[in-house]
Amino acid sequence: RTMAVATVNLRALTSWVGIARLLAVVLACLSFSLVASTGNFGNPYGTWCMFTWCFCFAVTLLVLLLELLELYPLLPLSWDDFTSAFSMLAALMVFTSSVIFPATFISSPCSSSSQCAPQAVATTASCLCFLAYAAEVSLTRAKPGDISSFLSTVPGLLKVFEVYVACLIFSLLDKYNSESGLMWCVAVYSICFIFTLLIIVFTIGRCLTYIPCPLEKMLVGYNFLALLMYLTATVLWPLYSFQGQSRPDSCGTSCSWNKHLGVTFLTIFNLIAYLVDLVFSTRMVFFRAP
């Protein structure tokens, strides 16, 4: 009778990538622990920040354990693509929380030192956590000419960025049913989000190889179409959102005018992302070095 022997890969903890992940785990745990101790996170923004820190802590810890025990080859997915996509997503989520949390919960002057001090330390830990995930993205990014892991390349990382920005856009959408131009913009956001998300999921699940067509050229064509669609949304969204409207005098965080302004900037960010994605994808497909 043979017995399975568990192997331990200490390099999962001692390599630069492992150290970055360990720091991210510790800092994310510190962030949500300090905020939880204050009990002051009871609105949608606070809930989002707590979810971000807890989610990133749990998944990163799971990644460390799977690599430490070398169990990840048993999973039916592309491990390098999964870890690259998650580190990029975690960096974006923690960065957003590092901006939202102090803007929402830290007031000036401080009303209570018992709450402001933990909140300030939590914000600092969150910013350092973002730097840890950014370091992981940098360390695992594919070198020029290496496309063994698509989601670790610049186009792959941009796919994660595009999906995340689209999610932020969806969270800000408000009062768009009255104008056909705004409804077209929402259709653009939805279509590009769905197709880009499918590319990420199929890549992690190793399903792209079953598509019976030149995959790389198809992705270039999709990036070109998505760029054109976002170009129309970049023009139409502010045109229909602000036509004949000025910013109200009392316009808080839930004000529709502010939300439309946020969607405008996020649309421009995704337009730039799809443009850079198209440039890098075209270089990878049509201008490869011999």
Side-chain angles (χ1 to χ4, degrees):
R1 179 180 299 179
T2 60
M3 297 180 61
V5 180
T7 59
V8 177
N9 179 21
L10 293 179
R11 183 168 173 77
L13 302 179
T14 58
S15 65
W16 286 114
V17 175
I19 293 173
R21 288 171 178 165
L22 282 173
L23 288 174
V25 166
V26 173
L27 293 168
C29 181
L30 180 62
S31 297
F32 72 73
S33 299
L34 287 171
V35 175
S37 68
T38 65
N40 183 25
F41 55 90
N43 64 33
Y45 297 107
T47 303
W48 162 256
C49 294
M50 287 292 287
F51 167 77
T52 295
W53 295 321
C54 293
F55 171 74
C56 294
F57 165 80
V59 177
T60 307
L61 184 60
L62 180 62
V63 169
L64 282 172
L65 290 175
L66 290 174
E67 290 205 346
L68 179 64
L69 301 177
E70 292 191 340
L71 297 176
Y72 63 90
L74 302 177
L75 301 177
L77 50 82
S78 174
W79 183 251
D80 290 337
D81 284 310
F82 169 74
T83 53
S84 297
F86 169 73
S87 60
M88 182 65 177
L89 176 63
L92 294 171
M93 292 176 67
V94 174
F95 174 78
T96 306
S97 298
S98 300
V99 174
I100 290 177
F101 183 78
T104 306
F105 292 96
I106 299 181
S107 59
S108 180
C110 183
S111 57
S112 173
S113 59
S114 61
Q115 285 194 349
C116 287
Q119 289 170 347
V121 176
T123 301
T124 304
S126 183
C127 293
L128 294 175
C129 186
F130 160 71
L131 293 178
Y133 281 117
E136 181 184 350
V137 172
S138 177
L139 290 169
T140 58
R141 188 173 68 86
K143 304 300 185 292
D146 180 14
I147 56 173
S148 58
S149 172
F150 172 69
L151 293 181
S152 64
T153 62
V154 173
L157 295 173
L158 285 172
K159 292 287 188 296
V160 180
F161 177 84
E162 292 154 5
V163 166
Y164 183 74
V165 172
C167 290
L168 294 180
I169 290 175
F170 293 145
S171 69
L172 294 176
L173 289 178
D174 185 24
K175 296 181 180 180
Y176 58 86
N177 294 326
S178 59
E179 297 287 351
S180 58
L182 297 181
M183 294 177 67
W184 162 253
C185 294
V186 174
V188 169
Y189 305 142
S190 302
I191 293 171
C192 294
F193 168 79
I194 291 172
F195 277 96
T196 307
L197 181 62
L198 286 176
I199 292 172
I200 295 174
V201 172
F202 285 172
T203 301
I204 295 175
R206 298 175 179 170
C207 299
L208 290 177
T209 55
Y210 298 107
I211 298 178
C213 61
L215 179 62
E216 294 175 338
K217 294 182 180 180
M218 184 191 72
L219 291 178
V220 172
Y222 164 71
N223 288 334
F224 180 71
L225 290 176
L227 177 65
L228 292 180
M229 294 174 70
Y230 258 92
L231 184 61
T232 62
T234 304
V235 175
L236 293 178
W237 182 267
L239 179 64
Y240 282 91
S241 295
F242 305 116
Q243 189 175 25
Q245 297 183 17
S246 58
R247 189 176 187 276
D249 295 332
S250 57
C251 192
T253 56
S254 60
C255 176
S256 297
W257 197 95
N258 280 347
K259 291 182 178 180
H260 286 175
L261 183 63
V263 172
T264 300
F265 280 105
L266 291 173
T267 303
I268 295 173
F269 292 159
N270 247 2
L271 174 69
I272 297 173
Y274 277 108
L275 175 60
V276 177
D277 193 353
L278 177 62
V279 172
F280 275 89
S281 298
T282 303
R283 288 178 58 187
M284 290 175 58
V285 174
F286 297 105
F287 300 99
R288 286 181 178 173

